Amino acid sequence: TDITYKGDTSSDEITHHYLHLLVAHEFLGLEDPEYDELLKIAVTNTTNHIIKNNYALREANGEQTTWAKWNMEYFNTAMGWADACLNAGQMLMYLEVAMHLTGEEPWKETFDKLIEAGYDKLTVKHYDRFHQVSIQGGVEDRQEIMYGDHMLAVLSLWGLCTLEKDENLLKKYRE
């Protein structure tokens, strides 16, 4: 039998999936334990896949997707430098959702490791980094604006501000 699937999933799609999992848990899962268990399986499998693959999503053939990369190696490339702030916030939000749905272990250790690596500091620099990329490209911010990226930053920060329990991190995200 042939299998057909959508390939090259982006970080955009994964961000929306995590927020859908969170909303489904909050509004449907608490009333339906069987459904909630399916949500927990989905968040566990996806989060484990991303962590196991060095904070990247891999295709069925084992190759990394073009845009679903949340690791420092990618952040330190020319393309990744522009994405680093947005993707760092996404990864922290994914872990917050995983912790919220399934409990803190083992996600807390991974979350703390990324905080130590500076993901929280990158997350709050989204606009500044966007501005720097515009200057490097010789264009004004409003010419270079990517509304989709700003929307993704809002979604990531909404998830972080909704779920974060550490007052220092919460203050940083809200500034």
Side-chain angles (χ1 to χ4, degrees):
T1 319
D2 290 339
I3 297 174
T4 304
Y5 68 96
K6 187 243 176 247
D8 206 24
T9 302
S10 70
S11 61
D12 307 26
E13 293 170 73
I14 298 299
T15 298
H16 284 93
H17 290 317
Y18 271 85
L19 283 175
H20 288 140
L21 289 164
L22 175 61
V23 170
H25 167 75
E26 293 297 320
F27 291 99
L28 305 171
L30 300 177
E31 302 274 329
D32 184 345
E34 186 178 338
Y35 181 66
D36 203 41
E37 190 58 34
L38 294 173
L39 299 173
K40 291 175 184 179
I41 290 168
V43 79
T44 297
N45 289 344
T46 305
T47 307
N48 279 338
H49 174 90
I50 292 169
I51 293 168
K52 183 179 107 186
N53 288 290
N54 190 29
Y55 304 100
L57 199 65
R58 294 203 177 269
E59 295 279 14
N61 65 6
E63 297 295 319
Q64 286 187 359
T65 66
T66 305
W67 300 111
K69 300 172 189 170
W70 303 276
N71 57 57
M72 284 295 189
E73 293 84 357
Y74 175 62
F75 296 168
N76 290 322
T77 66
M79 185 63 75
W81 187 84
D83 290 340
C85 300
L86 178 61
N87 289 29
Q90 290 171 343
M91 191 65 230
L92 292 176
M93 188 269 290
Y94 304 163
L95 290 165
E96 289 280 10
V97 171
M99 288 187 283
H100 183 71
L101 267 68
T102 67
E104 291 197 1
E105 297 303 327
W107 318 116
K108 180 72 171 129
E109 183 179 331
T110 302
F111 183 86
D112 290 344
K113 177 181 159 189
L114 295 182
I115 294 296
E116 189 175 308
Y119 276 50
D120 58 324
K121 293 173 185 71
L122 281 170
T123 297
V124 297
K125 293 181 180 178
H126 171 72
Y127 180 77
D128 292 338
R129 183 72 55 99
F130 167 75
H131 181 69
Q132 291 170 344
V133 168
S134 297
I135 291 170
Q136 289 173 354
V139 297
E140 292 183 35
D141 291 358
R142 67 178 183 271
Q143 291 175 309
E144 182 67 14
I145 197 163
M146 296 230 359
Y147 292 101
D149 284 354
H150 290 320
M151 182 259 318
L152 289 168
V154 167
L155 293 176
S156 296
L157 285 167
W158 179 83
L160 290 169
C161 289
T162 300
L163 298 173
E164 182 56 59
K165 295 177 180 100
D166 180 295
E167 287 299 322
N168 291 326
L169 285 174
L170 195 53
K171 182 180 177 187
K172 186 181 293 186
Y173 299 146
R174 288 181 173 166
E175 287 181 345

